[in-house]
Amino acid sequence: MTDTPNQPREYDVVLGGGQILALPPVDGAVLGGIAGLKHRFSRCNAEEKIETLAKALTYGEAGLDLVIQALGDYSEQVRWQAYAILREKAEPRIQKVLKAYLPAIYPGEIDCSRLGGLLAVGNWQAADQETAALMLKAGGRENGTCLKLQDIERLPGKLIQKIDRLWDGCSKGKFGLQVQASIWQSVGGNAKADYSTWYRFCDRVEWRVKNCWIEYNRLQFNLNAPSGHLPFLPVGGFGVDVCLESLFQKLKN
């Protein structure tokens, strides 16, 4: 039997009859437009929700309402994607929504919004560079340099904790400072650690492979990387072991 163009397919949302036949795919034709998209958003996982948000903008104000709704989603990755979409909008009502929402997504006056947006869409390398920039700025260092112990002691604990939550949430627990702190402890990292401990840590997160340091542009900026591989921390030089211990202690304070 030939397909009838005006008849719903098996994955369409049928409106008017009161019955939903099945969950439509992202690219499926949806009877009722935005209603079908909202139905799909309520039923799918985080990755599919992010795809759905990108399509919502084609539905004008009704689509924007769905993106605003996503700011309250259970997934931090979805929330940040919604924020990344909305922050590009100049409409007064959108700016008013974001102004009310901002205190909930970063502590104090430390703006982690760009980092959250990059992580939400899986732009791991740009997110890594943004992480370093945030930490260096908060520590009083210029971008492209390394944090020293006195710089790390100036870092707000809330900033470090927020950076960790963003990395952890968007990588599903694979990346982040807490993951790195656990690895650090597992190789003997503590207040009395030395350079041999630092080397063992770098071996575990594969910043060093077969006793050779990995160049930055050869790091693995994807989810196939080892646990704790990212973010690449802007610490180094003399006293790096003490710096790392001090940085991880910020997660507890």
Side-chain angles (χ1 to χ4, degrees):
M1 183 175 66
T2 58
D3 291 337
T4 304
N6 293 327
Q7 292 298 314
R9 289 171 287 179
E10 61 179 353
Y11 48 72
D12 285 338
V13 176
V14 179
L15 301 180
Q19 182 180 9
I20 296 174
L21 299 181
L23 184 66
V26 171
D27 294 323
V30 179
L31 297 182
I34 188 63
L37 205 66
K38 287 181 177 179
H39 169 72
R40 185 179 197 284
F41 186 86
S42 70
R43 298 281 296 277
C44 57
N45 61 33
E47 291 180 1
E48 292 169 331
K49 284 182 176 180
I50 288 174
E51 295 179 28
T52 303
L53 289 178
K55 292 181 176 294
L57 295 182
T58 63
Y59 291 95
E61 289 297 312
L64 278 175
D65 287 342
L66 177 59
V67 179
I68 292 171
Q69 174 189 327
L71 290 172
D73 193 80
Y74 71 88
S75 167
E76 188 165 26
Q77 188 175 3
V78 173
R79 295 197 300 271
W80 274 109
Q81 175 62 5
Y83 177 79
I85 292 172
L86 293 172
R87 72 193 297 261
E88 302 300 323
K89 303 296 178 182
E91 293 93 326
R93 81 177 185 99
I94 299 299
Q95 293 303 312
K96 184 177 180 180
V97 167
L98 293 183
K99 185 176 181 180
Y101 182 67
L102 285 177
I105 61 175
Y106 62 82
E109 297 180 358
I110 301 168
D111 188 351
C112 295
S113 58
R114 184 170 185 271
L115 174 60
L118 292 169
L119 288 170
V121 297
N123 193 339
W124 305 110
Q125 184 167 3
D128 184 76
Q129 293 167 352
E130 177 68 7
T131 299
L134 285 170
M135 294 173 66
L136 288 166
K137 181 178 180 180
R141 288 278 173 180
E142 294 182 0
N143 207 2
T145 58
C146 290
L147 291 168
K148 305 301 182 183
L149 182 58
Q150 63 269 32
D151 309 322
I152 292 173
E153 291 177 346
R154 282 197 293 267
L155 294 177
K158 288 184 178 180
L159 171 63
I160 299 306
Q161 293 157 16
K162 183 60 184 180
I163 288 173
D164 176 60
R165 287 196 298 272
L166 289 172
W167 276 95
D168 179 77
C170 293
S171 68
K172 298 181 180 179
K174 189 158 194 176
F175 301 142
L177 300 172
Q178 189 60 62
V179 175
Q180 293 172 340
S182 296
I183 294 172
W184 173 249
Q185 292 176 357
S186 74
V187 297
N190 54 45
K192 297 181 180 180
D194 55 22
Y195 277 98
S196 64
T197 312
W198 164 247
Y199 293 151
R200 289 195 297 273
F201 171 79
C202 293
D203 290 340
R204 281 282 302 278
V205 299
E206 293 192 14
W207 295 348
R208 198 175 81 134
V209 177
K210 296 181 179 179
N211 296 324
C212 294
W213 297 99
I214 302 298
E215 295 179 4
Y216 181 79
N217 59 8
R218 295 185 62 192
L219 293 175
Q220 300 177 57
F221 295 105
N222 56 67
L223 289 174
N224 293 323
S227 293
H229 191 66
L230 298 173
F232 185 75
L233 301 175
V235 297
F238 181 76
V240 65
D241 47 334
V242 180
C243 289
L244 206 62
E245 173 68 17
S246 178
L247 179 63
F248 291 148
Q249 287 298 318
K250 294 282 182 179
L251 293 168
K252 303 176 182 178
N253 301 327

